[in-house]
Amino acid sequence: MRTTRPAGAGLIAAGLLAVLAGCSGGPTPAAPAAPPPAADAASATAAVCGSLLRLDSVPAPEGGPDGPPPAAAVKEWGAATSPALDAALAQAPTALTPSLTALQPVFQAAATQGTGPDFEDPAFTGAITDYETWAHQNCGYQQVALTGTDFHFDGAPATLEAGPVSILLANKSAGGEFHVAHLAKAKDAVTTVEQVVNAPMEQLMELVEIVPGFAQAAPGQTGGFLADLEPGKYFLICPVGDEGELPHHVQGMITEVTVA
């Protein structure tokens, strides 16, 4: 889970006018200082994008079948993610600041109290979606725009280049299904979609390694995540499934992606 898949000021131009002389014939007022060059703005954007990528790349603590993750694991996760969030806030543009600011107390509570985020809280998930959408539009990473239906991924690529990628998932479920998009890297290059589909959930981790971060979205909503991919064979999957139901990837929400 993320991680999720959490007040900095935007980059500003400082332009001070010289004080006019009190008498006639005084010095000519200085022209306003030039705004920051485009290179500075691009550098700030790159820094924010790198921080958000690090934020999404921290593996989230896993809970057991009977409860949430232990507090110690949540604290470790919070301690690892909070610096990335703070770094993003330090250079975030004005449009991004409110979402990151809203996430700050959540990540601080994780780091100091071992309290995990509530992934069913619309305020939390909305702030995550805001920064994921901003990153998708501004970071210049490879873009994957997925549509999740019942039960299929539309827009899934067959290949990607190694390196950062931004994935957005729009849930267009007609049956009220909640969908997620995970990337799972095959531990063996000969692993097939059929093997992943037929593997019981308790054995799935023997075949694949889950990439940190995932996109989650309720019907009609959008979610996203960032990942830095190494070469290899991956599977894009939606493993959602209530007890007694077939997981969505078994019903068709799985596709193979080659990263080179």
Side-chain angles (χ1 to χ4, degrees):
M1 70 178 183
R2 189 190 306 104
T3 109
T4 126
R5 211 14 276 221
L11 196 64
I12 61 173
L16 298 177
L17 294 177
V19 178
L20 293 175
C23 58
S24 61
T28 302
D40 289 350
S43 178
T45 297
V48 174
C49 291
S51 296
L52 295 179
L53 180 59
R54 290 193 298 274
L55 182 63
D56 276 10
S57 297
V58 178
E62 296 182 3
D66 300 321
V74 176
K75 285 184 177 181
E76 184 178 354
W77 174 75
T81 52
S82 291
L85 174 67
D86 292 343
L89 267 170
Q91 299 192 67
T94 303
L96 187 57
T97 298
S99 299
L100 298 184
T101 301
L103 292 171
Q104 206 166 27
V106 179
F107 281 66
Q108 289 174 347
T112 59
Q113 303 169 27
T115 304
D118 181 1
F119 286 97
E120 296 184 2
D121 179 3
F124 175 73
T125 57
I128 294 288
T129 298
D130 285 347
Y131 88 66
E132 299 289 8
T133 302
W134 181 91
H136 193 78
Q137 296 171 346
N138 293 277
C139 288
Y141 297 154
Q142 297 175 94
Q143 295 181 340
V144 176
L146 296 174
T147 299
T149 59
D150 305 329
F151 297 92
H152 183 72
F153 284 124
D154 292 323
T159 61
L160 286 170
E161 295 180 2
V165 60
S166 172
I167 295 178
L168 280 186
L169 169 67
N171 186 344
K172 301 297 184 182
S173 169
E177 297 285 348
F178 187 91
H179 290 313
V180 304
H182 274 286
L183 276 173
K185 185 179 182 183
K187 294 182 178 180
D188 191 324
V190 300
T191 302
T192 65
V193 167
E194 289 73 20
Q195 287 176 302
V196 175
V197 167
N198 292 324
M201 290 301 292
E202 61 271 16
Q203 297 179 11
L204 186 59
M205 294 303 98
E206 298 177 8
L207 297 176
V208 299
E209 179 179 357
I210 300 297
V211 175
F214 63 90
Q216 63 173 15
Q221 301 298 315
T222 299
F225 74 106
L226 305 173
D228 194 2
L229 302 180
E230 299 177 348
K233 177 187 285 188
Y234 292 76
F235 301 99
L236 184 69
I237 65 174
C238 176
V240 171
D242 293 331
E243 186 175 355
E245 296 181 353
L246 287 176
H248 292 179
H249 72 283
V250 176
Q251 300 182 64
M253 293 194 78
I254 180 170
T255 186
E256 182 179 316
V257 180
T258 299
V259 177

